[in-house]
Amino acid sequence: MTGGNAHGDLDVREANKALARRWFDEGWSRGELDVAELLFAPEFLLGGEKVGPEGPKRSVRARRAAFAGLTVDVGLQVAEGPWVASWYTTRGTHVGEFAGVAPTGRVISSEGIQLWRVENGLVVEDRNVFDVRRVLAQLLEPAGKTPGPARLATDDSRG
């Protein structure tokens, strides 16, 4: 273990979780993109590409243009060292083109897992997996045949 104590490490892990929740709430759910300048490092990497704070802003703008009322609920979070993983559920109404699909007006939901590396209180790297297949199935299937909504990440009924 490098320097610090167990209590200090716990504080850092909790701070890293809070950082992720803040971005999901303020950035994704409320569209308050200026917060990206406070959360993401200038050298921030998204999928291995250096994009800085503008990368997350572009991602949010594009998704919020495609899905009105977009919200992101964070469920389980796990933090270890500089890493924090968040399981999340998105919901929104399809009002703009998404993955080549014209607006359908359908309400969709899907899940994802985001893995961040945080250094000195700023996010420096993001790796994530999002269930785009579920979104497309909800948009493309005939009415009545769409898969049910994704389980809400904050739902504790894991049985």
Side-chain angles (χ1 to χ4, degrees):
M1 192 168 188
T2 60
N5 59 46
H7 182 69
D9 292 342
L10 179 61
D11 290 344
V12 168
R13 290 192 304 262
E14 291 304 315
N16 291 349
K17 289 179 188 180
L19 192 72
R21 286 191 308 273
R22 183 175 181 192
W23 177 242
F24 281 123
D25 178 46
E26 293 179 35
W28 281 102
S29 293
R30 290 194 252 163
E32 297 172 2
L33 301 183
D34 289 343
V35 73
E37 302 297 332
L38 303 174
L39 305 180
F40 297 94
E43 66 278 3
F44 171 69
L45 300 171
L46 182 60
E49 179 184 346
K50 182 179 173 184
V51 295
E54 286 304 313
K57 289 180 185 181
R58 279 192 302 272
S59 295
V60 170
R61 278 188 204 104
R63 289 296 192 278
R64 290 181 65 81
F67 297 98
L70 182 69
T71 60
V72 181
D73 293 298
V74 178
L76 177 68
Q77 288 187 297
V78 179
E80 185 64 38
W83 296 95
V84 59
S86 302
W87 170 40
Y88 61 91
T89 304
T90 62
R91 295 188 190 288
T93 303
H94 185 221
V95 296
E97 185 176 318
F98 176 76
V101 179
T104 63
R106 290 183 177 181
V107 175
I108 63 89
S109 65
S110 197
E111 299 172 289
I113 297 174
Q114 169 191 276
L115 179 63
W116 274 1
R117 183 167 54 92
V118 180
E119 292 180 359
N120 301 316
L122 294 175
V123 184
V124 296
E125 182 178 1
D126 175 298
R127 299 287 177 162
N128 65 74
V129 177
F130 181 71
D131 194 352
V132 173
R133 189 177 66 90
R134 178 184 272 285
V135 173
L136 291 173
Q138 290 173 79
L139 298 179
L140 297 173
E141 289 295 325
K145 300 256 186 199
T146 60
R151 189 173 78 212
L152 192 61
T154 55
D155 182 6
D156 283 336
S157 58
R158 294 174 175 76

